[in-house]
Amino acid sequence: MRIYAKSRPEETLKEHTERLLHNLEILRQVYGEQIENIVPNKAKNVFWEMLKDVCIYHDCGKAYTPFQNVIRKSVGKEVLKTSFKNDIPHSYLSPAFVSKEVLEKYRDYKKAFIQAIAFHHERNVVLDATLYEYILQAIKEDLDEKRELVEKELSIKVENLNKRYYSYIAPSNMLSWWKDKDKEELLIYVILKGLLVRLDHCASAHIEIEDMKRQNLKEITTRYLLKSFNNLRELQKYVLDKGDKNLIIVASTGSGKTEAALIWAGDKKVFFTLPMRAALNAMFKRLKDNIEISNIGLLHSTSFHYIVSEEDDENLAFSIYQGSRYFSKQLLLTTIDQIFGFPFKYKGYEKILATLAYSKVIVDEIQGYSPSIGAVILKGLEMLNCFGTKFLIMTATLPQIYEDYLLQKGISFEKAVFFSPVVRHRIKIVEKDISSDVENIISHAQKGKVLIITNTISKALELFESLRERTEMKVGVIHSQFIQKHRQIKERMIKRFEERYDKGIWISTQIVEASLDIDFDFLFTELSTLDSLFQRMGRCFRKREYRSEEPNVFVYTENVSGIGRVYDREIHLSSFEMIKEFDGNVILEQQKMDLVKRLYSIDNIRDTKYYKEFKETLALLDSIIDGEFNKYEVHSNLRDIFNVKAIPIRYYRKKEKLFEMYTNEKNLIAKAKIYDKISKYIVEVPYYKVKNYISSCSYMKDIYILNLDYDCNTGIKYDRVISSELM
């Protein structure tokens, strides 16, 4: 009689286990050395055998007759007689097949070994003493007679079923980050379980766990830079021999940070994170086409649709997507939300933690995250440091409290600062409301290209209307609350304006701080926090030296929008006190970095809302019990931090047919192409801002219907609520 493991496609326990073992060989062949480096010293000599054995024993419990009947019924086979119901998770039964001899091989790590098998699937069924009594009955009256069958299927020796494994998996003996004791065994458990789950998922999907065409990113990137520019920049030279160190690099725009990160990565597996999906898409294309990195993946909420839209070969597009989704690509470009949920220790977090542990982790533009997300990233790096994982933080400005946190946790790193000595900005502090200085803005727009940046969309639109009334000059506006179709048009327009025109005005919010490579002659901006202000300045005289005695950056400090909501009030006030010292003077890149360091020092922000949010998030992460949340709950908790995707109701009504087609389409490539059409009408909005104006979409759970009016010239109109009944 066969023991089934899967029904779609039909697969025996032997076939499924062999797929795991095949992937285990690939994993060891491609990244064996890196994995051995993260295993605690005492377990190094038995680790690979231990991992092989958890693979062999993980699904033995599927021999349980009620489980077999579920599959047999599904594949059209006659069901077997039994008095039991399918109410025991098969993984809870699997340890019964682990013999005393096998367990004795891992006598120092029995809990890690048995728990990795028993909990490789996360269930909501609590394995307590009552359930274990029932399990013993099932072992005696059902599994005992399957013993020889399992022995033959898996070529293992099981003289007697183990009926005493409860002590290794009882709630009181669970390995946990909460406990100081058993810390070494906890790390082994995380690696064993995390890799087992990933091997299991890849075996079930019939894909290889790692792309075997491993590349030396350092050599490829260095060769490209020397061929293209004849030399390496100072930052790129600095990282040449730093691949074995944790690094924090503070560098100004145009320092060659991305290429430096690839040189630091060497030939290792790498996760490269950025805050913006658009920036990741552009980086994916550039690294693949220009530097010719082939073992590269892209992972974010819409990466599949981007890859399909970029690749002519549909099979190749799907292969890249699968390689990204299953983490099999060597270099994976991704957003924080895809990989940094593990500090919440949700059910099954070990899979991503174990994978990151034998990789290198690059966090780019960490200044672009809120204090809550910053806290999650730092807690994640702290957990990874337990395995010796190397990280690289790159930023234009680094809050001092981030650096202080790593030092407090005893995490060693080397810090380097690279700044340009070129003078680019002379500042004028204007103690007025920016809206009251429109004539001055128009006057400068007749001499050059003017970029206005406000703290809020409402202020940007107020200035937009005011300027349109007072000048015949063309005025453009861009912010985050346009659907993708209109935002892409506006991004092309502002880029074309910057390249082809000498005079004119564009208005924006902080979205241009990181996502657009533009260079204007004058910047008129509301005062934000200093880190944000300096990012804005990076869009004015971005790549040129400024020699005039007249200011090219005007900072408005009265009736500033968004204070208390977008920016912390106390930090904003401190920013004003620091920047006003530069009124009428040039400000160098080094001075900008020094100011940000002072601004975010603990002494300066101790009583701010910003610091409170940072500390509260860390306290929350420290208080979470392993497995307290499931993955969905973590994403729900993070929803207030991250944006949600929504479609304005007027476009939903016009494009509902596309949603129906998407739901009914079975082919994944065709489905992605339909999604690409839908995505043109999607806008990403902060959940806290729209939570009272959104309703669920019956076709897609990750897209909401936005019950607000919309204008293609100005974006979402928050003052005009539209109920679905009125449309």
Side-chain angles (χ1 to χ4, degrees), residues 59 139 181 193 378 415 422 519 536 575 644 716:
D59 270 353
I139 291 172
K181 69 171 187 175
K193 178 182 171 183
L378 293 178
K415 181 182 176 184
V422 176
D519 188 2
R536 294 176 186 191
S575 296
V644 294
I716 297 170

Side-chain angles (χ1 to χ4, degrees), residues 164-427:
R164 297 183 176 180
Y165 60 90
Y166 182 65
S167 62
Y168 305 120
I169 55 177
S172 60
N173 280 330
M174 290 298 294
L175 295 164
S176 167
W177 290 88
W178 258 47
K179 301 174 182 175
D180 290 330
K181 69 171 187 175
D182 300 330
K183 191 65 82 179
E184 188 173 271
E185 191 166 8
L186 169 69
L187 300 185
I188 295 169
Y189 167 65
V190 168
I191 301 169
L192 277 180
K193 178 182 171 183
L195 295 183
L196 169 63
V197 171
R198 197 159 151 244
L199 288 161
D200 194 20
H201 289 176
C202 290
S204 297
H206 291 198
I207 69 168
E208 295 190 339
I209 190 168
E210 294 290 355
D211 189 324
M212 298 182 71
K213 294 184 282 294
R214 188 169 161 183
Q215 295 180 290
N216 190 320
L217 303 178
K218 178 180 179 180
E219 288 182 4
I220 294 172
T221 306
T222 304
R223 187 165 57 241
Y224 162 77
L225 291 171
L226 292 176
K227 182 180 179 182
S228 303
F229 307 104
N230 294 322
N231 202 358
L232 304 183
R233 297 184 181 181
E234 288 305 308
L235 169 56
Q236 294 157 354
K237 292 177 183 174
Y238 165 77
V239 299
L240 278 172
D241 61 350
K242 306 291 185 186
D244 59 345
K245 296 181 183 298
N246 294 324
L247 295 181
I248 294 179
I249 292 176
V250 183
S252 51
T253 303
S255 303
K257 287 185 290 185
T258 301
E259 287 76 9
L262 297 175
I263 292 171
W264 173 81
D267 63 349
K268 305 299 189 297
K269 189 176 179 70
V270 190
F271 286 78
F272 195 132
T273 70
L274 266 173
M276 308 285 288
R277 286 180 298 155
L280 283 168
N281 292 345
M283 183 187 291
F284 175 76
K285 184 174 176 57
R286 186 166 68 87
L287 299 188
K288 189 164 63 69
D289 295 348
N290 296 356
I291 304 184
E292 298 182 343
I293 296 174
S294 57
N295 199 342
I296 183 172
L298 181 68
L299 185 64
H300 57 64
S301 59
T302 57
S303 57
F304 181 44
H305 314 103
Y306 174 78
I307 295 168
V308 168
S309 69
E310 282 294 313
E311 292 291 341
D312 296 330
D313 185 334
E314 293 181 349
N315 291 328
L316 176 60
F318 190 68
S319 172
I320 294 172
Y321 169 68
Q322 286 285 74
S324 306
R325 183 182 171 199
Y326 287 91
F327 308 142
S328 63
K329 291 295 181 183
Q330 180 184 350
L331 171 60
L332 193 58
L333 312 181
T334 182
T335 45
I336 286 293
D337 60 310
Q338 296 292 321
I339 60 170
F340 264 83
F342 70 87
F344 289 88
K345 300 187 281 289
Y346 58 81
K347 290 183 173 69
Y349 75 94
E350 297 89 351
K351 175 184 170 183
I352 181 61
L353 178 53
T355 307
L356 287 171
Y358 73 85
S359 309
K360 285 185 164 184
V361 178
I362 298 168
V363 182
D364 195 4
E365 297 189 5
I366 196 171
Q367 82 283 354
Y369 300 107
S370 69
S372 294
I373 298 180
V376 173
I377 293 171
L378 293 178
K379 176 54 71 176
L381 295 180
E382 180 187 343
M383 293 169 71
L384 286 168
N385 188 61
C386 296
F387 298 92
T389 307
K390 300 304 176 192
F391 65 80
L392 165 60
I393 295 175
M394 298 193 297
T395 180
T397 54
L398 180 69
Q400 183 61 38
I401 56 171
Y402 289 5
E403 190 176 332
D404 291 344
Y405 181 83
L406 295 175
L407 291 172
Q408 287 167 10
K409 296 298 177 183
I411 300 171
S412 62
F413 58 85
E414 191 169 300
K415 181 182 176 184
V417 178
F418 293 85
F419 56 87
S420 169
V422 176
V423 174
R424 298 193 293 154
H425 303 120
R426 183 180 292 276
I427 294 176

Side-chain angles (χ1 to χ4, degrees), residues 253 365 367 396-397 512-514 530-539 542:
T253 303
E365 297 189 5
Q367 82 283 354
T397 54
V512 297
E513 290 177 10
L530 287 185
D531 50 324
S532 165
L533 176 64
F534 296 149
Q535 286 291 114
R536 294 176 186 191
M537 287 187 192
R539 272 64 200 164
R542 181 174 178 80

Side-chain angles (χ1 to χ4, degrees), residues 457-503:
I457 294 171
S458 59
K459 192 78 168 186
L461 295 177
E462 178 188 330
L463 269 168
F464 178 63
E465 296 299 336
S466 178
L467 283 163
R468 285 208 304 186
E469 289 175 3
R470 299 190 197 191
T471 180
E472 294 182 353
M473 196 177 293
K474 280 193 173 181
V475 180
V477 63
I478 183 171
H479 55 70
S480 62
Q481 306 293 272
F482 285 103
I483 61 173
Q484 283 191 33
K485 176 182 178 181
H486 296 149
R487 180 158 164 184
Q488 288 170 359
I489 291 172
K490 287 180 173 293
E491 286 179 353
R492 287 196 294 271
M493 287 172 65
I494 190 172
K495 187 67 181 164
R496 192 182 308 126
F497 168 81
E498 182 257 337
E499 292 169 349
R500 299 182 182 178
Y501 294 85
D502 296 326
K503 302 170 186 175

Side-chain angles (χ1 to χ4, degrees), residues 645-662:
K645 289 180 283 193
I647 179 168
I649 192 165
R650 65 169 61 243
Y651 291 114
Y652 176 73
R653 290 302 187 202
K654 289 179 182 177
K655 303 297 174 184
E656 189 172 0
K657 189 71 179 174
L658 283 176
F659 283 87
E660 290 180 10
M661 290 169 61
Y662 178 86

